[in-house]
Amino acid sequence: MVPHLITALTGPINELEQRVLDSMSAIERWFRLEWMEHTPPFYTSVDIRNAGFKLSPVSTRLFPSGWNYLTPEMMPLAVQAAMAAIEKICPEARNLLVIPENGDHSARYLANLAQLTRIFNMAGLNVRLGSIDPAVKQSTTIQLASGDSVTLEPVIRSKRRLGLKDFDPCTILLNNDLDAGVPGILEDLFEQYLLPPLHAGWPTRRKSNHFKAYEEAAKRLGKLMGVDPWLINPLSDKCEEVDLAQDTGMDCLRNQVDVVLSKVRRKYKEYGIKEKPFVVIKADHGTHELGIVTVRDAKDLQALTDRVKTLTDGRKKPLSPHGFMVQEGVLTQERVNDAVAEPVIYTMDRYVVGGYYRVLEGRGVDETLEAPGSGYVPLAFEHSTQLPQPGVKPGASAPNRFYMYGVVGRLAMLAASYELEATDPDAEVYD
């Protein structure tokens, strides 16, 4: 099944594609210089939405799962990137300990662990899976439908190191976003590299910080290409410590919805876009019971209030105050056959290594596709990142479109680098 690009052959998205292709040498040089000054996050996945008139990331994960959806053709890129990443951090590395999520694991997530193990094995490392879940008390091997097997082992913490029985790793790779908090077992490790760092987890990380950093990166790349940064940047703002149970902070949400919607309306008018603008309200860190709320106008704010009331009425344990982000909603005009789709880009070190289309039949172009029932169709990055076709008419070449996805994915990765540097608790501060 091949992704089918249905966006129109005229309009801002194809003008943007042309600018990207015309600026290819300058873009690659700019990224190269940026990586001389900044350290890329170890790995990321970036959800991108192509509205037909703009192309924007809407989510960047620093502990990505879903590696099992990368095809065998993508593996050489992933292995090479893994080698580059490990060589920069611990060139003599022999052993790698992967820390998965806690709790019961789906077959999909276990397949993700098997793929990560395969990538780093092929990069020359001994890889073991060490669980920090207190419920995992003995080594357990799970057979997968693919024929692979995954063995989870309980970690052993010595005074200053983390490992397994008869396994002392140089590097520890987290595939756990620490949404429940940072466990003490991961703190104060001695001469072991923990990747990504603890401050990349949700106890510290805020989506609003990421998109603030992304906005800065988009402005710089937009200036380089001579395009409006809005064409690659979703507008957003935030409200901190919203207490849904006490209605504290709801005024902030209402105000920010109005502010962001007003900005988007002006942009739509500027570009002659006839679609109705919308925003999404989502947790600023991790996830929240409220989920993702779509707001198109003032009437929808009452629906938000009703949804909050349903959540809070009759609860024995009140909802804790939480931060929320108000983000410009970005349509998706991509299709795989007749189903709405969105590209997801995977990176390791500073390289795009693959990706797929997330597909969900029955969803609208303005709805989230990250939901039960989603399917996954690979993007042909083994060709597209290497062989864009500059002479082809904009909108007519899948490799060119995929190259543009890769540029936006790397821009989000660069923003994550800025974000992690700004929130690093060990960074030196100069007056």
Side-chain angles (χ1 to χ4, degrees):
M1 191 159 39
V2 178
H4 176 51
L5 304 177
I6 67 160
T7 47
L9 296 180
T10 60
I13 196 67
N14 289 314
E15 294 171 16
L16 177 63
E17 182 179 310
Q18 189 63 61
R19 290 296 182 93
V20 169
L21 294 172
D22 290 345
S23 306
M24 188 185 307
S25 296
I27 289 171
E28 296 304 328
R29 180 177 183 274
W30 181 70
F31 274 123
R32 186 169 66 250
L33 294 175
E34 286 296 303
W35 295 131
M36 292 176 67
E37 299 293 331
H38 305 281
T39 301
F42 189 82
Y43 55 4
T44 69
S45 68
V46 183
D47 296 358
I48 295 176
R49 304 275 284 198
N50 175 2
F53 51 83
K54 72 179 295 179
L55 185 74
S56 295
V58 293
S59 180
T60 302
R61 294 174 181 82
L62 300 184
F63 302 87
S65 59
W67 290 90
N68 48 305
Y69 299 120
L70 271 60
T71 63
E73 291 82 7
M74 298 175 188
M75 288 293 282
L77 285 175
V79 171
Q80 290 170 11
M83 287 179 176
I86 292 295
E87 284 171 5
K88 287 197 301 188
I89 296 157
C90 186
E92 70 280 8
R94 178 179 298 174
N95 297 334
L96 175 71
L97 181 66
V98 178
I99 306 291
E101 296 175 355
N102 290 358
D104 294 333
H105 298 129
S106 67
R108 286 181 174 184
Y109 184 71
L110 292 171
N112 156 74
L113 295 177
Q115 183 81 310
L116 275 176
T117 300
R118 185 178 297 110
I119 289 169
F120 288 104
N121 275 155
M122 295 175 72
L125 295 170
N126 301 317
V127 185
R128 305 265 286 271
L129 304 175
S131 178
I132 59 173
D133 188 340
V136 177
K137 300 184 183 301
Q138 60 184 13
S139 177
T140 304
T141 299
I142 305 164
Q143 296 294 326
L144 306 181
S146 63
D148 289 328
S149 65
V150 171
T151 300
L152 298 176
E153 303 176 69
V155 298
I156 298 172
R157 174 66 195 248
S158 63
K159 187 174 181 181
R160 304 181 75 180
R161 293 179 73 84
L162 190 68
L164 305 173
K165 184 179 180 181
D166 302 321
F167 188 79
D168 184 31
C170 159
T171 304
I172 299 167
L173 178 62
L174 288 177
N175 198 236
N176 180 327
D177 63 15
L178 308 177
D179 193 21
V182 177
I185 197 170
L186 295 178
E187 296 180 321
D188 301 320
L189 297 176
F190 179 70
E191 292 183 352
Q192 286 180 304
Y193 296 94
L194 186 64
L195 302 168
L198 292 179
H199 69 279
W202 288 127
T204 301
R205 190 178 186 227
R206 296 294 180 267
K207 297 169 190 175
S208 54
N209 288 342
H210 173 74
F211 280 98
K212 182 179 179 181
Y214 181 85
E215 181 179 20
E216 178 60 32
K219 286 178 180 177
R220 296 175 62 198
L221 185 61
K223 183 177 180 180
L224 178 71
M225 295 191 298
V227 302
D228 182 351
W230 177 74
L231 295 173
I232 53 174
N233 176 50
L235 303 174
S236 64
D237 216 317
K238 66 177 179 178
C239 291
E240 299 177 346
E241 296 300 304
V242 177
D243 190 336
L244 299 175
Q246 301 298 324
D247 205 32
T248 305
M250 290 297 288
D251 284 343
C252 176
L253 278 180
R254 295 183 186 101
N255 290 338
Q256 292 303 342
V257 164
D258 186 55
V259 168
V260 176
L261 268 178
S262 296
K263 290 179 179 178
V264 178
R265 287 190 189 106
R266 286 196 292 271
K267 282 296 182 182
Y268 277 30
K269 184 177 180 180
E270 177 183 344
Y271 284 96
I273 296 164
K274 303 303 182 184
E275 304 284 352
K276 187 170 184 177
F278 66 101
V279 298
V280 292
I281 300 172
K282 55 187 176 183
D284 197 18
H285 59 97
T287 58
H288 191 273
E289 288 181 65
L290 186 63
I292 296 177
V293 180
T294 299
V295 179
R296 295 173 181 80
D297 52 41
K299 291 184 295 184
D300 290 334
L301 288 173
Q302 183 57 49
L304 170 62
T305 302
D306 294 342
R307 188 165 173 176
V308 168
K309 190 174 187 301
T310 301
L311 267 181
T312 55
D313 278 357
R315 291 179 66 96
K316 293 182 179 179
K317 184 179 179 182
L319 289 170
S320 300
H322 204 91
F324 289 89
M325 185 171 70
V326 178
Q327 186 176 56
E328 173 188 354
V330 183
L331 303 169
T332 178
Q333 297 295 349
E334 297 284 25
R335 297 285 191 280
V336 173
N337 293 336
D338 293 326
V340 172
E342 64 186 8
V344 182
I345 308 305
Y346 277 69
T347 73
M348 190 174 293
D349 193 59
R350 59 194 179 104
Y351 306 102
V352 173
V353 298
Y356 51 79
Y357 269 111
R358 183 184 288 119
V359 183
L360 186 55
E361 291 187 11
R363 283 293 169 106
V365 297
D366 59 350
E367 295 182 282
T368 180
L369 304 185
E370 190 175 6
S374 294
Y376 303 89
V377 177
L379 290 168
F381 273 104
E382 70 273 16
H383 305 301
S384 62
T385 55
Q386 303 296 325
L387 300 172
Q389 301 170 328
V392 176
K393 182 179 179 180
S397 166
N400 286 350
R401 186 61 51 85
F402 297 162
Y403 175 75
M404 186 165 62
Y405 290 164
V407 169
V408 171
R410 284 184 288 165
L411 195 62
M413 175 173 55
L414 180 61
S417 175
Y418 296 168
E419 171 197 358
L420 291 177
E421 289 170 6
T423 56
D424 186 352
D426 298 322
E428 295 184 12
V429 179
Y430 298 96
D431 292 330

